[in-house]
Amino acid sequence: ELPIYHLEGGILAYLDDVAKRKKCSVNSPKDSEDGQEGSSEDRKENSSTFHGECFVFDKRVAVTEGLRPSSIYSSCHGCRGPIERRLLDPSTRCTTGMSRESMERHDALVISLEQSGLGKPPPLCHDKKSGRSYIPGLTCPRCHDCTNRESLEKFAMRKLQVELCGLDGRSHFEDRAAAT
C-alpha cells in the first residue's frame, strides 16, 4: 500500500510557500561547515520536490514555483487549451507532412477571411511532434482539424481585436477578466 499525502492549501499554496522559503533562506547568513547557506536541515526544508509546470485555469495557463507564469506554455487562441510556446516560434515551423485536405481547407479559409475583411491568416504549419497541422495564433494541433470555417473566422476576429487593443495600449476584455 502506498501512503497518500495531502498538501495543506493545495499545490498552488505549496508552490508559493516553497518560493517564499527559498527567498528567506537566500537572505540568511552562511553558517554551515560546508559553506552552504543555512544548515543542512534548513536546506532540506527549503528544497522543493516539485519539477515541471502546474496547469491553472486562467491566462497564465501554467505556473512554476512562486506562482510565476510558465515559460513553456501559452494558450491556443482557438480552443483556449494549453499549447507549447515552441509552436508560436516561426523558426520551428515546417511545411512538409501536411495533408492535401488540410492545404485545401486552409486555401479556402484564406479566401473567406480576405472576403470578410479580416486579412490573410498566418500560413498553415505542421507540428512534427504531433504530426498535425495548425494555424499559429488561430488554432493548435489539437483543435485545428475539428474547427469549422465559421469558428476560424471568429478566432481571426478575436485575434484582430486583441492585436488592436494592444496597439492602443489597452488590454482585451478577456485579459482583464482573467486578471481579476
Side-chain angles (χ1 to χ4, degrees), residues 47-58:
S47 67
S48 170
T49 57
F50 180 84
H51 299 284
E53 312 276 325
C54 178
F55 288 100
V56 293
F57 299 96
D58 59 30

Side-chain angles (χ1 to χ4, degrees), residues 19-30 37-38 46:
K20 287 177 184 174
R21 284 188 285 143
K22 279 185 177 180
K23 189 174 185 179
C24 288
S25 71
V26 168
N27 294 330
S28 68
K30 294 186 180 189
E37 295 178 2
N46 293 328

